[in-house]
Amino acid sequence: MINIVRRSDCHIIQFMDSKMLTVLILLSSLATCLSVPRRCSPEEAAIGRCRTPAEERPQCMEMVLGYCQDVPYSHTIFPNIVGHRSRQDLEMGAEYLLLSVIHGLLNGECSPDIRLLGCSVLAPRCQDNKLMKPCRSSCEMVKKSCIHAFDAIQMAWPYFLDCDRFFVGDEEGCYDPLSELREKQDVAIANISDGGIFTVIQFTYHTNTQMSSILKKTASKCSHISQTYSIGRSVEGKDLLAIEFSNNPGQHDLLEPEIKLIGNMHGNEVLGRQLLIYLAQYLCSEYLRGNERIQTIINTTRIHILPSMNPDGYEIAASEVADRNDPENINQEGHQYNGWTSGRANAQNLDLNRNFPDLTSIFYNRRRFRHFRNNHIPIPESYWSNKVIAPETYAVMKWIRAHPFVISASLHGGELVISYPFDFSRHPQEERMYSPTPDEQIFKQLARTYADAHATMSNNVTERCGASFANKGGITNGAQWYSFAGGMSDFNYLHSNCYEITVELGCDKFPSEVELYPEWLRNKEALLSFMEFVHRGIKGIVKDEHGNGIKGATISVRGMRHDITTAEDGDYWRLLNPGVHIVTAAASGYTKVSKRIRLPRNIHVGRVDFVLKKVPRDPSLDYFNIPELDSYDHFDPFNQFEQSSQRELSENGEERTEKPWWWSYFSQLGISAPTWLLRNY
């Protein structure tokens, strides 16, 4: 008996009678099955396991896709590498739509590289009716150079550009889809004397997205000396993106001082933001060119640059400038808009330079005591419980505590002067009173270094913005100019080892774009000279008898009531002017060691190491046994910021975010939603 069961249009035979009859019928049925056409699944097409009848096998066809016309081949084939069965099928997909808009989404960056690479997968090369796969090395090169651009707009790397899945190695007979593009680029580079390793700096304003993209691109170009990282987020969730330069990025090197440069603390004071973007590009480019001065700075210093501390405020200020440049606006003021208020504060309407803990008042109240903490003053608990603290302020405070910064500059606008601490008057009733720190001479020298190297700041004939600083060489004590509490510079000095100055770059807070290049020329040398200043004074390591570095040891200088402390591995940096100094190293549970040093004028930095011996601790004589010291590490004691920073998690445990602005490109066209473009979703 023979039973014929129909499954998937093929006859499957079940037999019980003659073996010979069974074999004949079975062969006939298999032939029938093999003759039935079957659709090829995308998975089978992707791995080359699709089998079709000879008369329906894929054939090479002329390339007619509009966004792939400039690929280095003239014929393509379907199904393509990811499974689209026809040109019409591809043109209706989100993958091809992405190629059509990628130039605009990335602001022209990585174009046409990304598009050509995508075409090599979606419309692959066909030769002798065979599909040719692109080279994995080409994909990896583009991804390394362009992943930052996708990160900047919060877009995931497209799945069809998976270098391991859809690209092959040279040994498998791949081809380079970017060959012609590279040849054209090589010709252009050959006409440039420095081999094309320079960076063309565009002296225009940059949006927050563009700024992020430039910083990440710069870090990618100079990955051996640079990296980007976020110190936190703004009120509206924007990354506070910093870029670091060092011969060992991401690590603190023993005895290598660290500095930071901060711009755009007030969102409407934008020149500093732009100068720091240009500086990052300049440092990368000049290092690659072999500029010995830049190489020395980067090889001996760890530099942190935060171009925008207030990206939310910047957007408000920039939008108002754009509105005032509208030709239909009858109240045009161009860039001379009401910049004293629009965008100055953050999105909570908080002035970030009034939002830090007021440690200066604590310093004034306790300075007459014989034993009082003159450095690393703890943040009072009342600050956390009674004040609205901006997330930008919180992020910078954590940043300051996490790195052994030695010097810092905060770039502002509205005047042309360098201001240094204290910013809060020693008599609160006096709004303009000279209020020096114990390091007055150091601060003056630091301020003069920038002002004297600036093209016009210290010039007596330079036009000022209302105040008179010409007779002071372009520098001033902050409180003598005007007094305010809760400033960032005072906080740096009293809560850490960092000496910060405020750089007022000019009268116009939002200058026109034509002024950006001249301002770069005026400030470039000043910025470089400021960074070099960190190599002044003395540095060294405080160790125990076994050669282990002692963290938190104090370095004090006789006659200067402000100590600094050693970093994680016992290294320290103490800014000092030339002369004779008595320097003492001390640590809890160790002997004190003092040394008399002479710092000549012709030597910028001297090496002074200390070895401390372990001794029994006598609390009654221990300088470190001051009750308030124990609370220094109690940062965010109520854990309010750590709790508020926790975000919704997706099913895989990663952070779930709202859909980004570009999602509307795809969601409104009726196509299958490309969730593969969403990060952590």
Side-chain angles (χ1 to χ4, degrees), residues 333-629:
E333 298 178 45
H335 286 273
Q336 300 288 341
Y337 76 118
N338 185 18
W340 297 96
T341 56
S342 300
R344 174 184 174 90
N346 75 341
Q348 294 169 297
N349 200 31
L350 295 174
D351 187 329
L352 298 181
N353 208 26
R354 309 292 187 273
N355 196 236
F356 284 82
D358 176 17
L359 305 183
T360 321
S361 294
I362 297 175
F363 177 85
Y364 288 149
N365 291 337
R366 301 182 182 179
R367 61 183 171 175
R368 292 181 179 84
F369 299 158
R370 181 180 178 186
H371 292 296
F372 78 102
R373 188 75 181 191
N374 58 31
N375 66 89
H376 292 76
I377 296 177
I379 299 172
E381 233 177 58
S382 59
Y383 172 78
W384 302 104
S385 57
N386 300 333
K387 195 176 183 71
V388 178
I389 304 168
E392 298 90 346
T393 306
Y394 178 82
V396 169
M397 288 194 295
K398 284 192 70 174
W399 192 35
I400 291 169
R401 292 167 60 94
H403 296 275
F405 294 122
V406 182
I407 60 174
S408 173
S410 178
L411 277 54
H412 290 248
E415 253 298 347
L416 187 63
V417 68
I418 304 295
S419 168
Y420 59 87
F422 285 125
D423 284 324
F424 188 44
S425 172
R426 52 185 172 173
H427 290 291
Q429 304 304 320
E430 296 289 338
E431 293 187 359
R432 288 181 172 83
M433 171 173 273
Y434 175 61
S435 305
T437 68
D439 284 286
E440 169 74 2
Q441 296 306 314
I442 295 294
F443 271 117
K444 275 189 174 181
Q445 191 61 40
L446 182 60
R448 286 195 183 107
T449 296
Y450 195 105
D452 291 347
H454 187 278
T456 59
M457 190 174 289
S458 62
N459 194 326
N460 289 340
V461 299
T462 300
E463 182 180 351
R464 303 288 163 169
C465 317
S468 178
F469 302 112
N471 60 346
K472 298 180 181 179
I475 69 172
T476 185
N477 172 258
Q480 192 172 22
W481 181 14
Y482 65 93
S483 173
F484 65 92
M488 184 167 67
S489 293
D490 284 10
F491 175 81
N492 270 274
Y493 182 67
L494 294 174
H495 192 67
S496 73
N497 293 332
C498 189
Y499 293 64
E500 181 174 276
I501 60 172
T502 301
V503 181
E504 300 282 348
L505 294 165
C507 308
D508 195 349
K509 294 190 174 188
F510 209 132
S512 61
E513 284 190 339
V514 296
E515 288 297 316
L516 294 179
Y517 178 60
E519 286 293 349
W520 165 248
L521 295 181
R522 293 184 191 107
N523 286 276
K524 181 180 73 171
E525 177 58 34
L527 288 166
L528 298 179
S529 297
F530 176 82
M531 290 190 287
E532 291 170 328
F533 185 90
V534 75
H535 299 282
R536 301 279 185 97
I538 59 174
K539 65 179 180 179
I541 306 174
V542 179
K543 301 179 180 179
D544 62 19
E545 296 175 280
H546 304 290
N548 302 312
I550 301 176
K551 176 186 176 182
T554 63
I555 304 295
S556 57
V557 180
R558 183 177 297 177
M560 302 175 68
R561 296 195 70 182
H562 181 76
D563 304 336
I564 57 101
T565 60
T566 56
E568 191 76 27
D569 298 319
D571 48 344
Y572 75 91
W573 306 263
R574 184 46 164 111
L575 297 177
L576 289 174
N577 286 327
V580 177
H581 304 279
I582 305 297
V583 182
T584 299
S588 180
Y590 292 88
T591 58
K592 289 184 180 180
V593 175
S594 297
K595 293 185 178 182
R596 183 179 183 273
I597 65 165
R598 179 177 176 272
L599 194 61
R601 291 188 176 276
N602 61 341
I603 297 180
H604 284 169
V605 63
R607 176 77 180 265
V608 183
D609 294 334
F610 294 90
V611 176
L612 307 185
K613 295 181 180 180
K614 197 84 172 176
V615 295
R617 182 173 177 178
D618 185 350
S620 63
L621 301 175
D622 193 350
Y623 165 82
F624 296 87
N625 191 30
I626 302 174
E628 68 172 13
L629 300 190

Side-chain angles (χ1 to χ4, degrees), residues 45 71 73 93 104 140 188 287 301 308 312 325 329 353 455 519 602 665 676-677:
V71 293
Y73 49 90
E140 291 172 343
Y287 191 98
T301 318
S308 184
D312 298 344
N325 283 333
N329 188 342
N353 208 26
E519 286 293 349
N602 61 341
Y665 276 86
W676 41 267
L677 283 176

Side-chain angles (χ1 to χ4, degrees), residues 9-66:
D9 297 326
C10 292
H11 296 82
I12 308 301
I13 297 92
Q14 297 178 350
F15 55 89
M16 296 180 59
D17 291 7
S18 168
K19 292 183 179 180
M20 181 61 71
L21 180 61
T22 299
V23 171
L24 290 174
I25 296 176
L26 177 60
L27 291 174
S28 175
S29 298
L30 289 175
T32 303
C33 260
L34 292 175
S35 67
V36 176
R38 185 176 64 84
R39 281 183 62 91
C40 181
S41 70
E43 292 77 11
E44 290 174 314
I47 61 178
R49 292 183 178 174
C50 188
R51 296 291 183 268
T52 59
E55 62 271 18
E56 294 189 14
R57 283 179 182 168
Q59 302 286 323
C60 289
M61 64 179 65
E62 189 175 349
M63 175 68 74
V64 293
L65 291 164

Side-chain angles (χ1 to χ4, degrees), residues 220-254:
S220 176
K221 181 177 180 180
C222 289
S223 57
H224 59 302
I225 59 165
S226 182
Q227 70 167 10
T228 57
Y229 64 95
S230 174
I231 69 167
R233 296 193 182 189
S234 68
V235 174
E236 296 181 350
K238 299 179 182 67
D239 270 330
L240 303 178
L241 191 67
I243 185 168
E244 169 197 341
F245 288 92
S246 167
N247 60 353
N248 187 17
Q251 299 292 328
H252 171 70
D253 286 343
L254 194 68

